[in-house]
Amino acid sequence: MRAAGLPNIQAPIVGRDGLPLGTLYAADKDAEAFDAADEAMLVAIATQAAVAITNARLYGESQRRGDDLRSLAQRVAEAGADDDDIGRIAALVAEQALKLVGCDGAGVFLLGDDGQAMQPAAARQAAEAATAARRRADSFYARPLPLDAAALVETTLTASRPLQFTDV
């Protein structure tokens, strides 16, 4: 790339994942050639730019997620203040989880009064979820999960933190 016929130099701006974010471009106003020191400086600046750009994007994303979570908390609080319909609140939570996590399905299971099983309270499916996957999910979200037969549920409850399972 040449700017009005002037010598120029470019350095890639590369994210920490190795994917390009852009380029840093410099044109020499005095029509002098760039040397190795200029190139090294531009590369150093591009490296710092990549960090700054990535951090800005992450910050923006965390701000948006924070806004979404605050909105969810407000909507749940309003729903709870309006009535004591746990099903409605659970549906709202599942809907927001689907949206915020970007998954194909989300469900809320609540510990039953007997303490022996998790009862389905609400489930939501993404509109674009495949039909076969949707049928499996509908079946899963429709039945109680006994604690003694559902080690994953019991493990998640006792861990008191999110856990990820890949072989369910």
Side-chain angles (χ1 to χ4, degrees):
M1 176 186 266
R2 306 246 336 142
L6 298 175
N8 67 79
I9 187 171
Q10 297 180 50
I13 301 173
V14 180
R16 62 182 180 195
D17 57 2
L19 297 175
L21 299 174
T23 62
L24 177 57
Y25 172 89
D28 188 354
K29 294 187 262 182
D30 298 328
E32 295 176 13
F34 290 97
D35 60 20
D38 295 326
E39 183 177 329
M41 181 58 70
L42 203 65
V43 167
I45 295 168
T47 300
Q48 292 303 310
V51 172
I53 290 167
T54 299
N55 286 346
R57 287 180 175 171
L58 290 172
Y59 179 77
E61 181 180 324
S62 71
Q63 290 295 104
R64 284 187 296 280
R65 285 186 177 254
D67 291 345
D68 288 343
L69 290 173
R70 281 186 288 282
S71 173
L72 170 62
Q74 181 178 355
R75 290 176 65 192
V76 168
E78 288 169 359
D82 291 344
D83 59 52
D84 61 353
D85 184 358
I86 292 174
R88 191 171 135 228
I89 294 170
L92 177 62
V93 169
E95 178 183 314
Q96 291 299 305
L98 186 71
K99 175 185 167 194
L100 297 175
V101 176
C103 53
D104 289 335
V108 175
F109 290 83
L110 299 175
L111 189 59
D113 293 336
D114 63 2
Q116 300 300 308
M118 300 292 288
Q119 300 295 327
R124 293 293 181 264
Q125 295 291 315
E128 60 276 356
T131 305
R134 174 168 267 177
R135 281 194 300 270
R136 283 192 308 274
D138 286 346
S139 172
F140 174 76
Y141 292 126
R143 64 177 193 259
L145 301 174
L147 290 183
D148 60 351
L152 299 181
V153 173
E154 189 168 15
T155 300
T156 302
L157 283 175
T158 58
S160 297
R161 64 182 175 82
L163 299 175
Q164 189 171 161
F165 302 99
T166 58
D167 59 351
V168 179

